[in-house]
Amino acid sequence: MNVTSIATVHSPVAEGIDENWGSVVSEIRVNPEWTSGLQGLEEFSHLLVVFYMHQSSFDATDLVRRPQGRADMPELGIFAQRAKHRPNPIGITAVELVEIQDNIVRVRGLDAIDGTPVLDLKPYFPPFDRRDDAATPEWVERLMKTYF
């Protein structure tokens, strides 16, 4: 399997945090050889950003844990969470597209720290990316209350 970074995140956030990502404006600086691939992306209001959480780690203690290490959260397997400590530290976040200038894609709400490698950008397609019939456990609402 070969995966190549197509861009790098430039963010005012340098270390992982668990709240207030909604107002963060980041720049995704696309590598020059991929810039022409941005053509037409400006017509979308939102994007999916696929990134490699380069400063995360994973060991056996992360396989079952409480989200954000919070005592008020249930113990869950890593695949029932969106935690950064994963066997393959890949993140996916839906973000608001602010603007595109040359090779710089400005977005709001990206929960990736400064220097994060970006693996892919995808336009947000509601028929693919939103499920109106989706259900989540009650703890998700408590966990996400201050995240965005």
Side-chain angles (χ1 to χ4, degrees), residues 7 24 35 47 49 56-57 60 62 69-70 77 111-114 125 128 130:
V24 174
T35 302
L47 311 174
V49 181
S56 73
S57 60
D62 293 316
R70 289 174 37 178
D111 55 344
I113 63 173
D114 190 57
F125 277 35
F128 292 147
R130 183 188 69 226

Side-chain angles (χ1 to χ4, degrees), residues 4-6 8 15 21-22 30 33 38 46 49 56 68 91 94 96 98 102 112 117-118 127 133 143 145-147:
T4 302
S5 171
I6 59 140
T8 303
E15 294 184 19
W21 286 102
V30 177
E33 66 270 25
L38 297 173
H46 290 77
V49 181
S56 73
Q68 297 178 358
E96 177 188 354
V98 175
D102 300 318
V118 176
D133 59 345
L143 183 73
K145 194 169 227 156
T146 59
Y147 195 81

Side-chain angles (χ1 to χ4, degrees), residues 52-68:
Y52 182 75
M53 296 179 283
H54 65 296
Q55 290 190 4
S56 73
S57 60
F58 181 81
D59 64 43
T61 63
D62 293 316
L63 196 55
V64 176
R65 58 186 292 281
R66 295 179 190 277
Q68 297 178 358

Side-chain angles (χ1 to χ4, degrees), residues 18-114:
D18 289 327
E19 54 188 27
N20 299 321
W21 286 102
S23 62
V24 174
V25 175
S26 302
E27 291 184 348
I28 298 171
R29 295 186 187 165
V30 177
N31 300 349
E33 66 270 25
W34 304 114
T35 302
S36 65
L38 297 173
Q39 184 175 331
L41 193 60
E42 74 282 353
E43 296 183 44
F44 291 86
S45 66
H46 290 77
L47 311 174
L48 293 176
V49 181
V50 181
F51 52 96
Y52 182 75
M53 296 179 283
H54 65 296
Q55 290 190 4
S56 73
S57 60
F58 181 81
D59 64 43
T61 63
D62 293 316
L63 196 55
V64 176
R65 58 186 292 281
R66 295 179 190 277
Q68 297 178 358
R70 289 174 37 178
D72 66 325
M73 293 290 132
E75 284 194 345
L76 301 163
I78 194 61
F79 302 122
Q81 304 179 47
R82 296 287 295 259
K84 63 185 173 189
H85 301 292
R86 319 186 65 74
N88 291 306
I90 296 170
I92 301 171
T93 303
V95 299
E96 177 188 354
L97 175 59
V98 175
E99 69 177 338
I100 299 175
Q101 291 182 326
D102 300 318
N103 71 320
I104 298 174
V105 179
R106 283 187 188 82
V107 299
R108 181 176 290 111
L110 178 59
D111 55 344
I113 63 173
D114 190 57

